[in-house]
Amino acid sequence: MTIRVALAEDSFLVREALTLLLEEEPDLEVVAICRDGEELRAALREHEVDVVLTDVRMPPSMRDEGIQIAAELRESNPDLGVVVLSAHCDAEFALGLLETGATRRGYLLKERVHSGKQLTETIKAVASGGSVIDPKVVQSLVEARQRRANSPLAPLSARERDILVEMAHGTSNAAIAETLGLSKRGVETHINVIFTKLALPAAPDVSRRVRAVLLFLADVDAGVEPESLR
């Protein structure tokens, strides 16, 4: 059975090369060629697709559009496979792709794809319900888990980390509340919890807010915090 593929890649040269490669494979049919995340979403509404082959970073934000779309598809169409073809061996990208399960998911590094067959076989494996993750990506996940376990920020929840990121950007409590959809009082409560979890007692001559931000920045320098939060 022919596997219908939607391709999403913002680089013209890479997009053209991938299209030619996929069209040479008789078992694959390229039904959509997209330059960014919005074009991919529109193509998925228009076409019947079995596997999405996507870059991670695409316009407009150039952050993690490919990972976001994979998460959306896990909810809206869990039988649709996603193969991420990325230039970045980033543990946070991989975690974002795999946090809801590895079934029908693939993560390959562009620099480590040495043949067209390697890519097409990955697409076929994902279409049939399998999972293909580059060993280098797996190693980055293991290392990230070890670093995070030793991080002073480990006790923080995802929401508390989001707030700490905004604090590091110098954002006021009112602005944090607006950005994250919280009340100002809710932000203040979260910040007090952050201070408690980070063991930062109140002191008249030391700003706990500054000390919390310094702990965050130290983790960024150590490579613990995800790139999307830097």
Side-chain angles (χ1 to χ4, degrees), residues 51-64:
V51 175
V52 169
L53 175 62
T54 181
D55 196 359
V56 172
R57 293 176 171 174
M58 294 182 290
S61 75
M62 296 300 294
R63 293 182 66 179
D64 63 345

Side-chain angles (χ1 to χ4, degrees), residues 159 163 173 176-177 182-193:
R159 174 60 79 187
I163 290 173
N173 288 359
I176 294 174
L182 300 170
S183 68
K184 185 178 178 181
R185 182 178 294 276
V187 170
E188 292 168 352
T189 299
H190 279 299
I191 290 175
N192 285 328
V193 172

Side-chain angles (χ1 to χ4, degrees), residues 151-200:
S151 167
L153 305 186
L156 301 185
S157 68
R159 174 60 79 187
E160 289 158 1
R161 285 174 179 265
D162 290 341
I163 290 173
L164 186 52
V165 169
E166 295 298 329
M167 291 165 60
H169 290 162
T171 310
S172 68
N173 288 359
I176 294 174
E178 183 176 355
T179 298
L180 300 181
L182 300 170
S183 68
K184 185 178 178 181
R185 182 178 294 276
V187 170
E188 292 168 352
T189 299
H190 279 299
I191 290 175
N192 285 328
V193 172
I194 290 171
F195 292 158
T196 299
K197 288 184 176 181
L198 297 182
L200 299 175

Side-chain angles (χ1 to χ4, degrees), residues 8 36-37 40-41 52-58 61-75 82-101 105-108 133 137 141 228:
D36 56 44
L40 177 56
R41 289 184 175 93
V52 169
L53 175 62
T54 181
D55 196 359
V56 172
R57 293 176 171 174
M58 294 182 290
S61 75
M62 296 300 294
R63 293 182 66 179
D64 63 345
E65 283 75 15
I67 304 301
Q68 292 178 27
I69 291 173
E72 294 166 10
L73 290 173
R74 185 66 85 186
E75 294 291 327
V82 177
V83 175
V84 169
L85 184 59
S86 177
H88 307 282
C89 185
D90 190 301
E92 289 300 321
F93 289 156
L95 285 171
L97 180 69
L98 303 173
E99 64 182 353
T100 56
R105 292 294 181 266
Y107 196 118
L108 300 180
I133 310 298
V137 175
L141 288 170
S228 61

